[in-house]
Amino acid sequence: MAQILVNNLTFGYEGSFDLIFDNVSFSIDTDWKLGLIGRNGKGKSTFLNLLMGKYKYQGTIQTNTVFDYFPYIINDEQMKQSAAEFIEDLKTGCESWRVMCELNLMGVDTEILYRPFETLSHGERTKVLLAVLFSGENDFLLIDEPTNHLDVESRVTIREYLAKKKGFILVSHDRELLDGCIDHVLVLNRQTIEVQNGNFSSWWENKEKKDSFARAENKKHLKEIEKLGKAAATTAEWAAKGESRKIGYDSIKEPDRPANARTYISSKTKKMQSKVKQIEKRINREIEEKEDLLVDIEDVVDLKIMPLIHHKEVLVNVRDFSVTYKGSETPVFENLTFQIKRGERVCLRGANGCGKSTVIKAILKTLNEDAVQTGMLEIASGLVISYVNQDTSGLHGTIREYCKEKGIEESLLCAILRQLDFDRVQFVKKMEDFSEGQKKKVLLATSLITPAHLYIWDEPFNYIDVFSRMQIEKLIETYDFTMLFVEHDSRFCDKIATRTVNM
């Protein structure tokens, strides 16, 4: 076992308005199974890259550990080769037999090492690259979001595989994955960093208790500040009256005032003024303690949307529906039957490649001309659909430019993004410089502010942080709107779907 000691780490990207890390210190052990948790843009992937030595920084990172990083970058030439031909280029000294052993642990047939990499599914590629990653010895492994775009079955396989390993940092927003395979968490809070024993759920339970205590203490401090403020005002008023009385007096109003009253009043006034200063100091202390209480609280702000209500009960009717591409004898899927009724939240579930996105394209009428459709697909007349695509590559320019291009209200979009934890400074940046999670939030926010009868979301939560997922879950449960979605986050699906269509 070794340690990684981080001392006074400070880092910000060149040209950026803000620092990612500002004088932070912590330590971690290299035999931990460590989950790295934080909002989008808080520096999770950046920290992994700092460990890999990719960026210059201030402060120190002390360790004798050798790091390796997932995902590996696969170039165009390697995509056409089999993995067996280039695995040593990815990891120096990598041996095929070790990779095969790791694949066996995942229940994967080792023949996929000898197929062209581009022919493998997302899940198969991920499993091959993880097998390469874990084929070495004594490396401390940095694993960045391994389950994006993977189906539920592949996620379960990877969760069970990682549960048998140790000595890694895992960046993931999949709560099931984090709960199933980590024993420590490293949390990038709003203003602090904490390391804690346990998994995501145990940390979240502790955090909710801590936040509840902090809010109660904050309420107590506010009452104390209000009470002290009133006392300070009263005492200051008395002191002011005393100050006005110590010089001169009205013989008619105060006929019995003794000659030495001025000295007495002056002494009493000083005591009152001193008391005012002491109360003010107490108020300042209370304010400081109050400010320290709430710095890391994650307030999951309630989002609001205005869905449209369609006059028909059945919005989409699919019966014995099949899609086959010209030149192929095998249909993408066949004899699919389901309905989407008003108020339902329908989850399309199935393995990668089974045709979920094809169903969505058919409903949106965006299938290309090579797609041969048979059976029935009826869409209610006048149906307005709000769609979130998997692809974020079309985002460019600033938020203002994006709103002008899309014809949407900038203030409304920014309000939703602020609720999803966007800093104001992000609104003047180019979206090309956003993290993938921040880009996905732009697409989701655009969908949410678009009044529609049906919301179709295709893998909306890839790269989206846990806190934003919980916000959106709450929104969907609160508003009675109709959805068709594809999502491999099993916790989200179990909580949100009113019906599941298995493909």
Tab-separated table of all heavy atoms in Angstrom, residues 37-40 42 173 175 187-190 200 203-204 207 211 296-301 419-421 441 464-473:
chain	number	residue	atom	x	y	z
A	37	ILE	N	-16.595	11.857	-6.863
A	37	ILE	CA	-17.948	12.390	-7.010
A	37	ILE	C	-17.902	13.910	-7.037
A	37	ILE	O	-17.152	14.532	-6.279
A	37	ILE	CB	-18.841	11.923	-5.841
A	37	ILE	CG1	-18.920	10.386	-5.813
A	37	ILE	CG2	-20.242	12.522	-5.936
A	37	ILE	CD1	-19.540	9.839	-4.537
A	38	GLY	N	-18.724	14.513	-7.891
A	38	GLY	CA	-18.819	15.965	-7.919
A	38	GLY	C	-19.684	16.432	-9.066
A	38	GLY	O	-19.990	15.682	-9.994
A	39	ARG	N	-20.093	17.693	-9.002
A	39	ARG	CA	-20.894	18.290	-10.057
A	39	ARG	C	-20.087	18.340	-11.358
A	39	ARG	O	-18.857	18.326	-11.350
A	39	ARG	CB	-21.290	19.713	-9.675
A	39	ARG	CG	-22.393	19.798	-8.633
A	39	ARG	CD	-23.751	19.830	-9.281
A	39	ARG	NE	-24.804	20.214	-8.334
A	39	ARG	CZ	-26.077	20.324	-8.675
A	39	ARG	NH1	-26.444	20.055	-9.905
A	39	ARG	NH2	-26.990	20.661	-7.787
A	40	ASN	N	-20.805	18.440	-12.487
A	40	ASN	CA	-20.137	18.648	-13.764
A	40	ASN	C	-19.305	19.925	-13.713
A	40	ASN	O	-19.763	20.958	-13.228
A	40	ASN	CB	-21.170	18.766	-14.897
A	40	ASN	CG	-21.897	17.467	-15.161
A	40	ASN	OD1	-23.113	17.442	-15.225
A	40	ASN	ND2	-21.167	16.380	-15.327
A	42	LYS	N	-16.572	20.398	-11.980
A	42	LYS	CA	-15.862	20.597	-10.719
A	42	LYS	C	-14.431	20.072	-10.756
A	42	LYS	O	-13.664	20.302	-9.819
A	42	LYS	CB	-16.622	19.931	-9.565
A	42	LYS	CG	-17.873	20.681	-9.142
A	42	LYS	CD	-17.533	22.058	-8.612
A	42	LYS	CE	-18.780	22.817	-8.195
A	42	LYS	NZ	-18.454	24.205	-7.792
A	173	HIS	N	-21.218	8.728	-12.675
A	173	HIS	CA	-22.456	9.298	-12.144
A	173	HIS	C	-23.529	8.232	-12.005
A	173	HIS	O	-24.683	8.547	-11.705
A	173	HIS	CB	-22.953	10.422	-13.055
A	173	HIS	CG	-21.948	11.515	-13.262
A	173	HIS	ND1	-21.420	12.237	-12.216
A	173	HIS	CD2	-21.357	11.989	-14.384
A	173	HIS	CE1	-20.560	13.129	-12.691
A	173	HIS	NE2	-20.497	12.991	-13.989
A	175	ARG	N	-25.197	5.661	-9.958
A	175	ARG	CA	-25.269	5.369	-8.528
A	175	ARG	C	-25.180	3.879	-8.234
A	175	ARG	O	-24.595	3.468	-7.233
A	175	ARG	CB	-26.566	5.962	-7.954
A	175	ARG	CG	-26.554	7.484	-7.891
A	175	ARG	CD	-27.943	8.077	-7.800
A	175	ARG	NE	-28.609	8.005	-9.103
A	175	ARG	CZ	-29.831	8.483	-9.334
A	175	ARG	NH1	-30.515	9.051	-8.358
A	175	ARG	NH2	-30.374	8.392	-10.542
A	187	VAL	N	-14.892	13.397	-2.611
A	187	VAL	CA	-15.992	14.261	-3.035
A	187	VAL	C	-15.486	15.682	-3.263
A	187	VAL	O	-14.882	16.290	-2.375
A	187	VAL	CB	-17.124	14.282	-1.985
A	187	VAL	CG1	-18.316	15.060	-2.524
A	187	VAL	CG2	-17.534	12.868	-1.621
A	188	LEU	N	-15.707	16.182	-4.467
A	188	LEU	CA	-15.394	17.571	-4.791
A	188	LEU	C	-16.647	18.383	-4.501
A	188	LEU	O	-17.542	18.497	-5.342
A	188	LEU	CB	-14.972	17.709	-6.252
A	188	LEU	CG	-13.839	16.790	-6.720
A	188	LEU	CD1	-13.481	17.086	-8.173
A	188	LEU	CD2	-12.607	16.939	-5.835
A	189	ASN	N	-16.735	18.911	-3.281
A	189	ASN	CA	-17.882	19.712	-2.884
A	189	ASN	C	-17.814	21.076	-3.545
A	189	ASN	O	-16.914	21.386	-4.314
A	189	ASN	CB	-17.907	19.875	-1.363
A	189	ASN	CG	-18.279	18.586	-0.652
A	189	ASN	OD1	-19.232	17.914	-1.032
A	189	ASN	ND2	-17.532	18.227	0.380
A	190	ARG	N	-18.767	21.925	-3.190
A	190	ARG	CA	-18.793	23.264	-3.783
A	190	ARG	C	-17.539	24.062	-3.438
A	190	ARG	O	-16.967	24.728	-4.290
A	190	ARG	CB	-20.034	24.022	-3.319
A	190	ARG	CG	-21.331	23.439	-3.886
A	190	ARG	CD	-22.529	24.284	-3.494
A	190	ARG	NE	-23.743	23.762	-4.103
A	190	ARG	CZ	-24.163	24.051	-5.318
A	190	ARG	NH1	-23.434	24.853	-6.069
A	190	ARG	NH2	-25.277	23.539	-5.795
A	200	PHE	N	-21.425	5.404	-2.401
A	200	PHE	CA	-22.187	6.620	-2.664
A	200	PHE	C	-23.358	6.769	-1.693
A	200	PHE	O	-23.565	7.843	-1.115
A	200	PHE	CB	-22.711	6.633	-4.103
A	200	PHE	CG	-23.647	7.773	-4.365
A	200	PHE	CD1	-23.153	9.034	-4.647
A	200	PHE	CD2	-25.024	7.610	-4.279
A	200	PHE	CE1	-24.007	10.107	-4.852
A	200	PHE	CE2	-25.889	8.666	-4.479
A	200	PHE	CZ	-25.379	9.925	-4.777
A	203	TRP	N	-22.335	7.727	1.815
A	203	TRP	CA	-21.892	9.129	1.841
A	203	TRP	C	-23.091	10.064	1.737
A	203	TRP	O	-23.177	11.054	2.469
A	203	TRP	CB	-20.924	9.407	0.687
A	203	TRP	CG	-20.716	10.878	0.475
A	203	TRP	CD1	-19.966	11.715	1.236
A	203	TRP	CD2	-21.335	11.695	-0.531
A	203	TRP	NE1	-20.064	13.003	0.759
A	203	TRP	CE2	-20.899	13.015	-0.320
A	203	TRP	CE3	-22.194	11.431	-1.593
A	203	TRP	CZ2	-21.299	14.064	-1.137
A	203	TRP	CZ3	-22.604	12.478	-2.402
A	203	TRP	CH2	-22.163	13.770	-2.173
A	204	TRP	N	-24.042	9.755	0.848
A	204	TRP	CA	-25.199	10.627	0.664
A	204	TRP	C	-26.052	10.676	1.926
A	204	TRP	O	-26.553	11.742	2.298
A	204	TRP	CB	-26.025	10.143	-0.525
A	204	TRP	CG	-27.198	11.037	-0.820
A	204	TRP	CD1	-28.514	10.776	-0.608
A	204	TRP	CD2	-27.144	12.364	-1.368
A	204	TRP	NE1	-29.298	11.841	-0.993
A	204	TRP	CE2	-28.484	12.828	-1.457
A	204	TRP	CE3	-26.117	13.193	-1.784
A	204	TRP	CZ2	-28.802	14.093	-1.958
A	204	TRP	CZ3	-26.435	14.452	-2.285
A	204	TRP	CH2	-27.763	14.886	-2.362
A	207	LYS	N	-24.275	12.859	4.263
A	207	LYS	CA	-24.353	14.244	3.798
A	207	LYS	C	-25.710	14.859	4.119
A	207	LYS	O	-25.786	16.023	4.547
A	207	LYS	CB	-24.084	14.309	2.297
A	207	LYS	CG	-24.186	15.727	1.725
A	207	LYS	CD	-23.755	15.792	0.298
A	207	LYS	CE	-23.965	17.192	-0.259
A	207	LYS	NZ	-23.291	18.238	0.546
A	211	ASP	N	-26.122	18.057	6.298
A	211	ASP	CA	-26.787	19.236	5.756
A	211	ASP	C	-27.986	19.638	6.605
A	211	ASP	O	-28.245	20.830	6.808
A	211	ASP	CB	-27.231	18.977	4.317
A	211	ASP	CG	-26.059	18.916	3.346
A	211	ASP	OD1	-24.919	19.178	3.782
A	211	ASP	OD2	-26.285	18.600	2.159
A	296	ASP	N	-21.107	23.919	1.489
A	296	ASP	CA	-21.104	22.702	0.681
A	296	ASP	C	-22.473	22.052	0.519
A	296	ASP	O	-22.578	20.948	0.000
A	296	ASP	CB	-20.144	21.665	1.287
A	296	ASP	CG	-18.687	22.037	1.066
A	296	ASP	OD1	-18.405	22.678	0.038
A	296	ASP	OD2	-17.852	21.695	1.914
A	297	ILE	N	-23.509	22.741	0.966
A	297	ILE	CA	-24.842	22.152	0.858
A	297	ILE	C	-25.273	22.110	-0.605
A	297	ILE	O	-25.158	23.103	-1.329
A	297	ILE	CB	-25.860	22.934	1.703
A	297	ILE	CG1	-25.666	22.588	3.185
A	297	ILE	CG2	-27.292	22.643	1.274
A	297	ILE	CD1	-26.665	23.209	4.114
A	298	GLU	N	-25.744	20.934	-1.042
A	298	GLU	CA	-26.260	20.764	-2.393
A	298	GLU	C	-27.775	20.914	-2.346
A	298	GLU	O	-28.501	19.965	-2.080
A	298	GLU	CB	-25.877	19.390	-2.947
A	298	GLU	CG	-24.411	19.239	-3.280
A	298	GLU	CD	-24.016	19.992	-4.534
A	298	GLU	OE1	-24.919	20.532	-5.217
A	298	GLU	OE2	-22.811	20.056	-4.821
A	299	ASP	N	-28.254	22.125	-2.564
A	299	ASP	CA	-29.692	22.337	-2.615
A	299	ASP	C	-30.193	21.896	-3.981
A	299	ASP	O	-29.873	22.515	-4.998
A	299	ASP	CB	-30.040	23.813	-2.391
A	299	ASP	CG	-29.981	24.181	-0.916
A	299	ASP	OD1	-30.484	23.392	-0.111
A	299	ASP	OD2	-29.430	25.241	-0.585
A	300	VAL	N	-30.950	20.794	-4.002
A	300	VAL	CA	-31.488	20.290	-5.255
A	300	VAL	C	-32.723	21.124	-5.584
A	300	VAL	O	-33.826	20.839	-5.140
A	300	VAL	CB	-31.819	18.787	-5.144
A	300	VAL	CG1	-32.358	18.257	-6.454
A	300	VAL	CG2	-30.575	18.007	-4.735
A	301	VAL	N	-32.499	22.207	-6.347
A	301	VAL	CA	-33.546	23.180	-6.626
A	301	VAL	C	-34.619	22.555	-7.513
A	301	VAL	O	-34.315	21.853	-8.476
A	301	VAL	CB	-32.938	24.417	-7.340
A	301	VAL	CG1	-34.029	25.450	-7.606
A	301	VAL	CG2	-31.825	25.019	-6.492
A	419	GLN	N	-30.121	26.685	-12.331
A	419	GLN	CA	-30.674	25.711	-11.396
A	419	GLN	C	-29.958	24.370	-11.499
A	419	GLN	O	-29.914	23.611	-10.536
A	419	GLN	CB	-32.176	25.541	-11.650
A	419	GLN	CG	-32.984	26.768	-11.245
A	419	GLN	CD	-34.447	26.618	-11.599
A	419	GLN	OE1	-34.795	26.114	-12.663
A	419	GLN	NE2	-35.325	27.080	-10.721
A	420	LEU	N	-29.375	24.089	-12.673
A	420	LEU	CA	-28.588	22.872	-12.858
A	420	LEU	C	-27.113	23.112	-12.554
A	420	LEU	O	-26.241	22.391	-13.038
A	420	LEU	CB	-28.766	22.349	-14.294
A	420	LEU	CG	-30.151	21.787	-14.626
A	420	LEU	CD1	-30.274	21.502	-16.118
A	420	LEU	CD2	-30.438	20.527	-13.817
A	421	ASP	N	-26.831	24.170	-11.780
A	421	ASP	CA	-25.502	24.455	-11.233
A	421	ASP	C	-24.512	25.008	-12.244
A	421	ASP	O	-23.310	24.823	-12.111
A	421	ASP	CB	-24.913	23.204	-10.558
A	421	ASP	CG	-23.843	23.566	-9.527
A	421	ASP	OD1	-24.154	24.364	-8.634
A	421	ASP	OD2	-22.715	23.070	-9.638
A	441	LYS	N	-26.384	19.190	-20.412
A	441	LYS	CA	-27.330	20.007	-19.656
A	441	LYS	C	-27.964	21.073	-20.546
A	441	LYS	O	-29.140	21.420	-20.366
A	441	LYS	CB	-26.635	20.664	-18.456
A	441	LYS	CG	-26.364	19.695	-17.313
A	441	LYS	CD	-25.692	20.401	-16.148
A	441	LYS	CE	-25.410	19.429	-15.015
A	441	LYS	NZ	-24.761	20.089	-13.861
A	464	ILE	N	-24.032	13.307	-17.085
A	464	ILE	CA	-24.738	14.224	-16.187
A	464	ILE	C	-24.472	13.820	-14.741
A	464	ILE	O	-24.598	12.661	-14.373
A	464	ILE	CB	-26.254	14.210	-16.463
A	464	ILE	CG1	-26.547	14.766	-17.854
A	464	ILE	CG2	-27.011	14.995	-15.402
A	464	ILE	CD1	-26.368	16.246	-17.990
A	465	ASP	N	-24.140	14.810	-13.889
A	465	ASP	CA	-23.789	14.508	-12.501
A	465	ASP	C	-24.993	14.033	-11.692
A	465	ASP	O	-26.153	14.238	-12.076
A	465	ASP	CB	-23.146	15.726	-11.825
A	465	ASP	CG	-24.097	16.907	-11.716
A	465	ASP	OD1	-25.026	16.854	-10.897
A	465	ASP	OD2	-23.908	17.897	-12.456
A	466	VAL	N	-24.705	13.378	-10.575
A	466	VAL	CA	-25.730	12.747	-9.748
A	466	VAL	C	-26.755	13.757	-9.251
A	466	VAL	O	-27.965	13.491	-9.237
A	466	VAL	CB	-25.068	12.034	-8.544
A	466	VAL	CG1	-26.125	11.530	-7.576
A	466	VAL	CG2	-24.212	10.875	-9.030
A	467	PHE	N	-26.302	14.936	-8.828
A	467	PHE	CA	-27.208	15.919	-8.239
A	467	PHE	C	-28.220	16.409	-9.275
A	467	PHE	O	-29.402	16.571	-8.976
A	467	PHE	CB	-26.407	17.090	-7.669
A	467	PHE	CG	-25.312	16.661	-6.748
A	467	PHE	CD1	-23.982	16.715	-7.152
A	467	PHE	CD2	-25.590	16.157	-5.491
A	467	PHE	CE1	-22.963	16.300	-6.311
A	467	PHE	CE2	-24.575	15.739	-4.644
A	467	PHE	CZ	-23.261	15.806	-5.062
A	468	SER	N	-27.760	16.643	-10.498
A	468	SER	CA	-28.673	17.074	-11.558
A	468	SER	C	-29.646	15.964	-11.920
A	468	SER	O	-30.811	16.222	-12.235
A	468	SER	CB	-27.877	17.505	-12.793
A	468	SER	OG	-27.060	18.616	-12.499
A	469	ARG	N	-29.182	14.715	-11.882
A	469	ARG	CA	-30.086	13.590	-12.144
A	469	ARG	C	-31.229	13.588	-11.137
A	469	ARG	O	-32.391	13.368	-11.490
A	469	ARG	CB	-29.316	12.263	-12.068
A	469	ARG	CG	-28.326	12.068	-13.192
A	469	ARG	CD	-27.650	10.706	-13.126
A	469	ARG	NE	-26.583	10.626	-14.116
A	469	ARG	CZ	-26.190	9.503	-14.704
A	469	ARG	NH1	-26.769	8.366	-14.392
A	469	ARG	NH2	-25.224	9.506	-15.598
A	470	MET	N	-30.898	13.824	-9.866
A	470	MET	CA	-31.936	13.812	-8.837
A	470	MET	C	-32.907	14.974	-9.016
A	470	MET	O	-34.114	14.834	-8.765
A	470	MET	CB	-31.285	13.824	-7.453
A	470	MET	CG	-30.578	12.519	-7.121
A	470	MET	SD	-30.033	12.374	-5.397
A	470	MET	CE	-28.661	13.510	-5.383
A	471	GLN	N	-32.397	16.144	-9.460
A	471	GLN	CA	-33.282	17.267	-9.752
A	471	GLN	C	-34.283	16.906	-10.838
A	471	GLN	O	-35.485	17.181	-10.722
A	471	GLN	CB	-32.456	18.474	-10.214
A	471	GLN	CG	-31.782	19.262	-9.097
A	471	GLN	CD	-30.951	20.385	-9.672
A	471	GLN	OE1	-29.835	20.168	-10.110
A	471	GLN	NE2	-31.493	21.580	-9.683
A	472	ILE	N	-33.773	16.303	-11.909
A	472	ILE	CA	-34.629	15.978	-13.052
A	472	ILE	C	-35.609	14.864	-12.696
A	472	ILE	O	-36.762	14.875	-13.132
A	472	ILE	CB	-33.755	15.620	-14.271
A	472	ILE	CG1	-32.956	16.865	-14.700
A	472	ILE	CG2	-34.612	15.120	-15.430
A	472	ILE	CD1	-31.862	16.595	-15.704
A	473	GLU	N	-35.161	13.906	-11.889
A	473	GLU	CA	-36.078	12.869	-11.401
A	473	GLU	C	-37.258	13.505	-10.662
A	473	GLU	O	-38.421	13.133	-10.865
A	473	GLU	CB	-35.339	11.913	-10.454
A	473	GLU	CG	-34.449	10.904	-11.151
A	473	GLU	CD	-33.642	10.082	-10.160
A	473	GLU	OE1	-33.846	10.245	-8.942
A	473	GLU	OE2	-32.809	9.270	-10.604
